[in-house]
Amino acid sequence: MKDVIALTPKMPDSWAVVAGLYAGGPDVEASGVHDGAVVQLRAGDGRPLVSVEAPLLVHVPGEAERLLGDGVGAPAVPYWWTEVRASAALPEAVPLAGSVAGRLTVLLGGAVWPADAASLDVVPVPSASDAGEVTATTAEAGLAVDILTDSTAVVLADRPVVALNAWMSEILRTVAAAGLALQIVTPPHVRLSLPLRTALAGAPNRWVVQDSGNLFHDGLSGAELRWENGTFTPVLTETGEAVVAQPFADAAPSSERQLVVSFRILHEHVTDDLVLGRALETAWTALAGTAPAGWGTAEPINLPWSSQQLTAFARERSPEPTHLLAVGRPDRPALATLRVSRTEGGVAEDVTLTLGYGAHEAPPLDAVEALARTLAGERGLTSMLVSLRRARRDLTVPPRFAAPPIPVSFTLGGADVRRIGLEHTLRPPLGLGPVRLGPAVHYPLGDGTDAQAWTVLQQLSEHLQAVPAG
């Protein structure tokens, strides 16, 4: 798929969309809602050309720049983000998408990304009589992807950051339900957003990077890949080992860093006045100095931060779990995932907050213990793991080797301290200095520079699991 995005200060109403449809001339047919699109343009033979997605009202500053790059020319917030998605099946699709987006901005103001895609041209497309034999399309098979085989759905993407937008979220859900792998193929300059990297991790899904020599490798592991039996698979040596692609192996480690804070909050006493997201807001304020800027279910993250609205949304979805995203201000890169779920013990909030720091910025490690104390005393903390990794400040994921994060501290919440026994939790057989934080116990593990901290954390975990008899 090739995406063109219209960023407009006014909502694309039905008349504006109709004007965009004329970009395809008389041989293009329009259909209603399909695969999440407001309207889909099809060639005369029925093949999908362009999908105009539902416009999204973005209230959060910096989202266009975070996902599309500086200089994108987005209007002041709030503005409307409308994706026009072109099929890779026909060469006419990309200029048609650019003309649809260009016509929207002529009527409504704003900007088109990429800027050179915008036009007002009428794009001739083949009629049914010119197209020849028509084969089954991926859309007819129920998936709006570029290649579909018995085992794999393949999406071709070329934009600065491939994000977990609403369309990609739906593709992930659909392929998982169908028992398929999702493989996203990009050029080497493309990066993934942190939420998409998290969602894509693990078999059978894969990020496939195509280099200038028409060779392929895995963007996360570096393994050389080849197209075989309808999917990308690793190239193996005679001894069965994967081959690491040279561009991946030659990459220098980042001098920038990310602080990763993962914790669980359990609300044992669920009442009508329960408000979710406050623990995340507490952590964000303690580490970044401000509350989150926005929240949403996909990227771009479009809603201004509101724990009350977040709670109402989760209540509407209950008892199903709710997966949410949060983002910070442009000057302090921060992203979080929040999963709300019902458990036997109450309502759980599972949070991973990641903050980015430049080479000469110091992550606020001295604020971690105080945060643990606050969460343990006021927010029902179950556990918290804080770690540090060498990775990009802007929190995007390039196709380069990334060392795993190194633990900084671990905090055990009061419920588990009571279950295990305070004396046992305060006497690990290690050179640690446990700290009591009200009902919780906090274990400093290092400053995030010594990988030996993983061994210490494993030994601590084994000690805490060995609950003394009686």
Side-chain angles (χ1 to χ4, degrees):
M1 298 289 171
K2 177 66 175 180
D3 301 332
V4 182
I5 300 170
L7 305 170
T8 61
K10 299 178 182 179
M11 179 181 179
D13 57 19
S14 57
W15 289 110
V17 173
V18 167
L21 301 185
Y22 280 106
D27 293 322
V28 169
E29 301 174 355
S31 60
V33 176
H34 183 85
D35 288 331
V38 172
V39 68
Q40 188 173 79
L41 303 184
R42 293 176 175 267
D45 57 17
R47 283 181 291 179
L49 286 164
V50 167
S51 296
V52 183
E53 304 294 316
L56 183 70
L57 183 59
V58 178
H59 291 269
V60 183
E63 280 298 271
E65 292 76 12
R66 181 174 73 88
L67 298 177
L68 302 177
D70 293 334
V72 68
V77 294
Y79 59 85
W80 293 90
W81 176 301
T82 305
E83 300 218 9
V84 186
R85 187 159 289 111
S87 168
L90 292 173
E92 297 84 2
V94 173
L96 179 57
S99 186
V100 171
R103 289 164 182 248
L104 290 178
T105 55
V106 164
L107 289 173
L108 305 170
V112 171
W113 179 91
D116 58 3
S119 79
L120 301 178
D121 299 338
V122 174
V123 181
V125 298
S127 64
S129 59
D130 297 332
E133 183 178 356
V134 180
T135 58
T137 67
T138 56
E140 289 168 346
L143 276 173
V145 296
D146 294 297
I147 301 171
L148 183 64
T149 71
D150 291 340
S151 64
T152 305
V154 178
V155 171
L156 309 179
D158 186 0
R159 52 199 293 178
V161 178
V162 182
L164 187 64
N165 56 25
W167 177 79
M168 187 66 75
S169 297
E170 182 61 29
I171 291 295
L172 279 163
R173 285 191 293 268
T174 305
V175 298
L180 301 174
L182 175 62
Q183 297 184 342
I184 301 174
V185 182
T186 74
H189 62 266
V190 170
R191 290 163 281 136
L192 301 186
S193 74
L194 193 57
L196 179 57
R197 188 258 183 270
T198 302
L200 196 65
N205 300 328
R206 193 183 295 276
W207 176 20
V208 180
V209 177
Q210 181 178 12
D211 66 24
S212 57
N214 205 31
L215 300 175
F216 301 91
H217 66 269
D218 190 295
L220 300 179
S221 71
E224 288 188 6
L225 304 171
R226 63 185 171 198
W227 182 256
E228 186 176 54
N229 298 324
T231 193
F232 285 99
T233 58
V235 175
L236 302 179
T237 65
E238 293 181 357
T239 59
E241 297 178 350
V243 179
V244 177
Q246 201 62 42
F248 194 92
D250 290 345
S254 175
S255 60
E256 300 175 335
R257 289 176 291 178
Q258 295 175 4
L259 184 65
V260 185
V261 183
S262 299
F263 59 89
R264 165 172 269 213
I265 301 294
L266 181 61
H267 304 280
E268 296 181 324
H269 306 291
V270 180
T271 61
D272 291 341
D273 60 355
L274 171 64
V275 178
L276 303 170
R278 285 182 172 171
L280 173 58
E281 185 173 336
T282 296
W284 212 299
T285 303
L287 299 174
T290 63
W295 74 281
T297 59
E299 297 176 285
I301 297 169
N302 66 312
L303 299 172
W305 176 255
S306 169
S307 54
Q308 297 285 348
Q309 292 180 4
L310 181 155
T311 301
F313 181 80
R315 286 185 185 277
E316 289 178 2
R317 291 187 48 82
S318 183
E320 295 298 318
T322 299
H323 297 263
L324 301 171
L325 304 174
V327 70
R329 303 179 314 185
D331 61 341
R332 168 49 59 217
L335 282 166
T337 59
L338 168 63
R339 183 179 188 271
V340 180
S341 60
R342 281 197 170 273
T343 70
E344 292 183 359
V347 173
E349 296 182 72
D350 290 285
V351 175
T352 298
L353 168 61
T354 306
L355 304 100
Y357 300 90
H360 302 294
E361 293 179 298
L365 300 185
D366 55 353
V368 169
E369 183 177 315
L371 170 61
R373 182 186 300 274
T374 299
L375 294 179
E378 301 176 7
R379 303 297 183 199
L381 181 70
T382 296
S383 63
M384 182 172 78
L385 176 64
V386 177
S387 55
L388 198 63
R389 64 184 172 207
R390 298 181 70 177
R392 290 176 62 109
R393 180 182 188 271
D394 64 10
L395 308 182
T396 61
V397 182
R400 299 288 185 270
F401 171 75
I406 297 175
V408 170
S409 67
F410 176 74
T411 306
L412 187 68
D416 281 338
V417 170
R418 292 190 297 272
R419 178 181 59 82
I420 296 171
L422 180 61
E423 182 178 356
H424 188 73
T425 59
L426 290 176
R427 297 181 181 276
L430 307 163
L432 298 178
V435 179
R436 288 195 63 180
L437 302 178
V441 176
H442 179 71
Y443 302 90
L445 301 173
D447 62 0
T449 61
D450 186 357
Q452 184 65 24
W454 276 115
T455 301
V456 176
L457 179 61
Q458 182 180 1
Q459 293 172 342
L460 173 62
S461 177
E462 292 172 350
H463 169 76
L464 295 176
Q465 291 175 17
V467 180

